[in-house]
Amino acid sequence: MRRFEGKRVIVTGGGKGIGKATVARFAAEGASVVLTGRDRGAAELAAREIADETGAAVYPFVADVSVKADDQATIQFALDKMQGIDVLVNNAGIYYEEPFEEISEEHWDQIMDIDLKGTFLMCQAVLPHFKEKKAGIIVNMSSTNGLAGEIGYAHYNAAKGGVVLLTKTLAIEFGPDNIRVNCVCPGYILTESTEAMDSDEFVADYIQNKIPLRRTGESEEVASVIAFLASDDASFVHGESILIDGGQLAD
Ligand SMILES: NC(=O)c1ccc[n+]([C@@H]2O[C@H](COP(=O)([O-])OP(=O)(O)OC[C@H]3O[C@@H](n4cnc5c(N)ncnc54)[C@H](O)[C@@H]3O)[C@@H](O)[C@H]2O)c1
């Protein structure tokens, strides 16, 4: 399947994890991709690997989504390199697990700035281009934590819940401009970051008690849903938040 031949995509936080798998998926289906991240080495390495594997044009760009000037520079870089933007994937995000009473103002602000404000700023930065061409697709990254509370993640839950409602609001406001906006809500996906955070015992217990499919998810299983939402297969899907959680929130 090559649904994105000739399409131009931006993926924030594309140097590793779910973002990298998403870049790989779009590239494999024919898109050109700008991949952003704060870590130059990781962004350049991921872009080179994916370009070698797929033959697609993959452009790394160092940018912090929480900084407005970086977001505007990302859009300008994408326009210069690809002469247009068809799809924006707001993937970049961080998470900490800590009891509510121990959450520092610094951690609260970091999560809000990257996970929620970064999404807002990137959407605002791309909108003039999408409105001008009367077309555009945005896929935001929320989480099961954006739809249900989880102890230890008050700041993350608040930010990801915000992403769900930001998505719905943009869908209502910019649907008339033919700008389609949706978000994905992954459950437990094994990435370098989750592996570093959780012990094997914690993961085994989590799977047994919380995930009906009795396994964690893979980054590629999120990437495929993001690609679906960005494709014409989802042409009437708008303002939606899709769970990718092995059934975790089904009960
Ligand atoms: N892994 C999971 O279980 C899971 C579940 C639900 C949602 N998510 C969400 O998916 C997204 C990716 O998660 P992941 O597990 O792949 O994480 P990860 O840590 O493996 O990757 C995150 C990427 O975002 C980049 N990033 C972080 N802060 C940034 C910033 N300020 N500006 C630009 N880039 C930045 C990092 O450099 C990295 O490339 C996050 O938004 C996360 O909240 C993850």
Coordinates of all heavy atoms in Angstrom, one line a residue, residues 134-166:
K134 N -6.9 25.3 1.6 CA -8.3 24.7 1.9 C -8.2 23.2 2.0 O -9.0 22.5 1.5 CB -9.3 25.1 0.8 CG -9.9 26.5 1.0 CD -11.4 26.3 1.4 CE -12.0 27.6 2.0 NZ -12.8 27.4 3.1
A135 N -7.1 22.7 2.6 CA -6.9 21.3 2.9 C -5.8 21.1 3.9 O -4.9 21.8 3.9 CB -6.6 20.6 1.6
G136 N -6.0 20.1 4.7 CA -4.9 19.7 5.6 C -5.5 18.7 6.6 O -6.7 18.6 6.8
I137 N -4.5 18.0 7.2 CA -4.9 16.9 8.1 C -4.0 17.0 9.3 O -2.7 17.1 9.2 CB -4.7 15.5 7.4 CG1 -5.8 15.4 6.3 CG2 -4.8 14.4 8.5 CD1 -5.6 14.2 5.4
I138 N -4.6 17.0 10.5 CA -3.8 17.0 11.8 C -4.2 15.7 12.6 O -5.4 15.4 12.7 CB -4.2 18.2 12.6 CG1 -3.8 19.5 11.8 CG2 -3.5 18.2 14.0 CD1 -4.2 20.8 12.5
V139 N -3.1 15.0 13.0 CA -3.4 13.9 14.0 C -2.6 14.2 15.2 O -1.4 14.4 15.2 CB -2.9 12.6 13.4 CG1 -3.2 11.5 14.4 CG2 -3.5 12.3 12.0
N140 N -3.3 14.4 16.3 CA -2.7 14.7 17.6 C -2.5 13.4 18.5 O -3.2 12.4 18.3 CB -3.6 15.7 18.4 CG -3.6 17.0 17.8 OD1 -2.6 17.5 17.2 ND2 -4.8 17.7 17.9
M141 N -1.5 13.5 19.4 CA -1.2 12.4 20.2 C -1.8 12.6 21.6 O -1.3 13.4 22.4 CB 0.3 12.2 20.3 CG 0.8 11.1 21.2 SD 0.1 9.5 20.8 CE 1.2 9.1 19.3
S142 N -2.8 11.8 22.0 CA -3.3 11.8 23.3 C -2.9 10.5 23.9 O -1.8 10.0 23.7 CB -4.8 12.0 23.4 OG -5.3 12.0 24.8
S143 N -3.8 9.8 24.7 CA -3.4 8.6 25.4 C -4.7 8.1 26.1 O -5.6 8.8 26.2 CB -2.4 9.0 26.5 OG -2.2 7.9 27.4
T144 N -4.6 6.8 26.5 CA -5.7 6.3 27.4 C -5.7 7.3 28.6 O -6.8 7.5 29.2 CB -5.4 4.9 28.0 OG1 -4.0 4.9 28.4 CG2 -5.6 3.8 26.9
N145 N -4.6 7.9 29.0 CA -4.6 8.8 30.1 C -5.3 10.1 29.8 O -5.5 11.0 30.6 CB -3.1 9.2 30.5 CG -2.4 8.0 31.0 OD1 -2.1 7.0 30.3 ND2 -2.2 8.0 32.3
G146 N -5.7 10.3 28.5 CA -6.5 11.5 28.2 C -8.0 11.3 28.3 O -8.8 12.2 28.2
L147 N -8.3 10.0 28.5 CA -9.7 9.6 28.6 C -10.1 9.0 29.9 O -11.3 9.0 30.3 CB -10.1 8.6 27.5 CG -9.9 9.1 26.1 CD1 -10.1 7.9 25.1 CD2 -10.9 10.2 25.7
A148 N -9.1 8.6 30.7 CA -9.4 8.0 32.0 C -8.3 8.4 33.0 O -7.1 8.5 32.5 CB -9.5 6.5 31.9
G149 N -8.6 8.6 34.2 CA -7.5 9.0 35.2 C -6.7 7.8 35.5 O -7.1 6.7 35.4
E150 N -5.4 8.1 35.9 CA -4.5 7.0 36.4 C -3.7 7.6 37.5 O -3.1 8.7 37.3 CB -3.6 6.5 35.3 CG -2.8 5.3 35.7 CD -2.0 4.6 34.6 OE1 -1.8 5.3 33.5 OE2 -1.5 3.5 34.8
I151 N -3.7 6.9 38.7 CA -2.9 7.4 39.8 C -1.4 7.6 39.4 O -0.9 6.7 38.7 CB -3.0 6.5 41.0 CG1 -4.4 6.6 41.6 CG2 -2.0 6.8 42.1 CD1 -4.8 5.6 42.7
G152 N -0.8 8.7 39.8 CA 0.6 8.9 39.5 C 0.9 9.7 38.2 O 2.0 10.0 37.9
Y153 N -0.2 10.0 37.6 CA -0.1 10.8 36.3 C -1.0 12.0 36.2 O -1.5 12.3 35.1 CB -0.4 9.8 35.1 CG 0.6 8.7 34.9 CD1 0.4 7.5 35.4 CD2 1.8 9.0 34.1 CE1 1.4 6.5 35.3 CE2 2.7 8.0 34.0 CZ 2.5 6.7 34.5 OH 3.4 5.7 34.3
A154 N -1.2 12.7 37.3 CA -2.2 13.8 37.3 C -1.8 14.9 36.2 O -2.7 15.3 35.5 CB -2.2 14.5 38.6
H155 N -0.5 15.2 36.1 CA -0.1 16.2 35.2 C -0.3 15.7 33.7 O -0.8 16.4 32.9 CB 1.3 16.7 35.4 CG 2.3 15.7 35.9 ND1 2.0 14.3 35.8 CD2 3.5 15.8 36.5 CE1 3.0 13.7 36.4 NE2 3.9 14.5 36.8
Y156 N 0.2 14.5 33.5 CA 0.1 13.9 32.2 C -1.4 13.7 31.8 O -1.8 14.0 30.6 CB 0.8 12.6 32.2 CG 0.9 11.8 30.9 CD1 1.7 12.3 29.9 CD2 0.3 10.6 30.7 CE1 1.8 11.7 28.7 CE2 0.5 9.9 29.6 CZ 1.2 10.4 28.5 OH 1.3 9.7 27.3
N157 N -2.2 13.2 32.7 CA -3.7 13.1 32.4 C -4.3 14.4 32.0 O -5.1 14.5 31.1 CB -4.4 12.5 33.6 CG -4.0 11.1 34.0 OD1 -3.5 10.3 33.2 ND2 -4.1 10.8 35.3
A158 N -4.0 15.4 32.8 CA -4.6 16.7 32.5 C -4.1 17.2 31.1 O -5.0 17.8 30.4 CB -4.1 17.7 33.6
A159 N -2.9 17.0 30.8 CA -2.4 17.5 29.5 C -3.0 16.7 28.3 O -3.5 17.2 27.3 CB -0.9 17.4 29.4
K160 N -3.0 15.4 28.5 CA -3.6 14.5 27.4 C -5.1 14.6 27.3 O -5.6 14.5 26.2 CB -3.2 13.0 27.6 CG -1.7 12.8 27.5 CD -1.2 13.2 26.1 CE 0.3 12.7 25.8 NZ 0.8 13.1 24.5
G161 N -5.8 14.9 28.4 CA -7.2 15.2 28.3 C -7.4 16.5 27.6 O -8.4 16.6 26.8
G162 N -6.5 17.4 27.8 CA -6.6 18.7 27.0 C -6.4 18.5 25.6 O -7.1 19.1 24.7
V163 N -5.6 17.5 25.2 CA -5.3 17.3 23.7 C -6.6 16.7 23.1 O -7.0 17.1 22.0 CB -4.2 16.3 23.5 CG1 -4.1 15.8 22.1 CG2 -2.8 16.9 24.0
V164 N -7.4 15.9 23.8 CA -8.6 15.4 23.3 C -9.6 16.5 23.0 O -10.2 16.6 21.9 CB -9.3 14.4 24.2 CG1 -10.7 14.0 23.8 CG2 -8.4 13.1 24.4
L165 N -9.7 17.5 23.9 CA -10.7 18.6 23.7 C -10.2 19.6 22.8 O -11.0 20.3 22.0 CB -11.1 19.1 25.1 CG -12.2 18.3 25.8 CD1 -12.6 18.9 27.1 CD2 -13.4 18.1 24.9
L166 N -8.9 19.8 22.7 CA -8.3 20.7 21.7 C -8.6 20.1 20.3 O -9.0 20.8 19.4 CB -6.8 20.8 21.9 CG -6.0 21.6 20.9 CD1 -6.4 23.0 20.9 CD2 -4.5 21.5 21.2

